[in-house]
Amino acid sequence: MRITGDGTTGGIPARSDGGPYPLQGSAAAAARRQPESTPAGPVGGGPAPEQIGYRGPTACAAAGITYRQLDYWARTALVEPSVRPAHGSGTQRLYSFRDVVVLKIVKRFLDTGVALQNIRTTVQHLRDRGFEDLERMTLMSDGATVYECTSPDQVVSLLQGGQGVFGIAVGVVWRDVENALSQLHGERVDTGETLVRHNPADELAARRNRAV
């Protein structure tokens, strides 16, 4: 599926089996929207993933971005915190697990030179489709256009047509974020309780302090 670009298939025919086809605004995505599935999430045996939020510094650490980037993307509505936005001074933004995955995807697209407007369109598309099956998606791009692929056949079709120069396997990003957040502190949305994780870096720092 073409997410960004001029609205043509670029020589790739629309396929009845779900292959790449033109995407024309959020209405097309909404028509395909299915009930949102619940991710496995970064925490096992505790609160459900949708009940956990992550503050800005934690989101930055897991996504590999700076706080300046996080703040700018929130203020320009590129990636806004879906759990709790900032309301004036003294309030903390709270990001969901999926928010952090999207932050990391945006970072990877920027690193590979995709135009910010195309990234913005891609993020909006992910929002519109409800994030279902996000971890099984591959986002392909030739630098000018972004495509969504949900099967190996679609990836091969794009590569054969010359459209795909690089791809982001969202499942890999998903697992990277999952692993990172499993070692970082979260916050229960309902109670505000801080969920303290076991962070090897914290343990190493404690050992160094004891050795002094």
Side-chain angles (χ1 to χ4, degrees):
M1 174 194 296
R2 179 188 295 270
I3 298 175
T4 66
D6 59 6
T8 67
T9 56
I12 302 176
R15 290 168 18 192
S16 60
D17 62 353
Y21 61 90
L23 180 69
Q24 297 177 350
S26 59
R32 300 178 56 252
R33 188 181 306 166
Q34 302 294 327
E36 182 174 335
S37 60
T38 301
V43 183
E50 63 270 17
Q51 295 177 334
I52 303 172
Y54 303 93
R55 295 194 175 193
T58 301
C60 289
I65 62 176
T66 66
Y67 193 85
R68 185 174 182 178
Q69 287 175 308
L70 183 83
D71 182 61
Y72 178 72
W73 296 349
R75 287 188 290 104
T76 58
L78 177 60
V79 184
E80 298 176 283
S82 63
V83 178
R84 186 176 67 211
H87 295 293
S89 60
T91 59
Q92 291 279 345
R93 297 187 184 106
L94 213 57
Y95 291 81
S96 70
F97 173 76
R98 283 192 182 90
D99 292 339
V100 182
V101 172
V102 174
L103 287 169
K104 195 172 185 72
I105 290 171
V106 170
K107 171 66 161 53
R108 291 197 174 181
F109 270 135
L110 285 174
D111 288 347
T112 51
V114 176
L116 184 59
Q117 184 55 47
N118 282 346
I119 296 174
R120 187 176 295 277
T121 302
T122 301
V123 171
Q124 184 60 51
H125 169 69
L126 294 177
R127 290 193 188 115
D128 288 343
R129 77 191 300 281
F131 295 105
E132 78 275 5
D133 297 328
L134 186 64
E135 71 274 24
R136 288 185 286 276
M137 182 192 306
T138 299
L139 296 172
M140 303 287 293
S141 178
D142 56 6
T145 304
V146 179
Y147 299 86
E148 173 197 327
C149 299
T150 54
S151 73
D153 287 344
Q154 292 177 8
V155 174
V156 172
S157 177
L158 284 172
L159 292 174
Q160 288 177 340
Q163 276 80 4
V165 174
F166 65 87
I168 297 176
V170 180
V172 174
V173 177
W174 184 284
R175 289 188 292 275
D176 286 348
V177 171
E178 203 169 50
N179 291 335
L181 290 178
S182 70
Q183 300 178 22
L184 298 169
H185 303 332
E187 181 178 314
R188 286 192 62 127
V189 176
D190 52 354
T191 64
E193 172 191 1
T194 299
L195 302 173
V196 180
R197 307 280 189 255
H198 171 70
N199 190 334
D202 291 344
E203 183 176 336
L204 179 60
R207 288 179 181 176
R208 287 174 175 169
N209 290 335
R210 286 196 296 268
V212 174

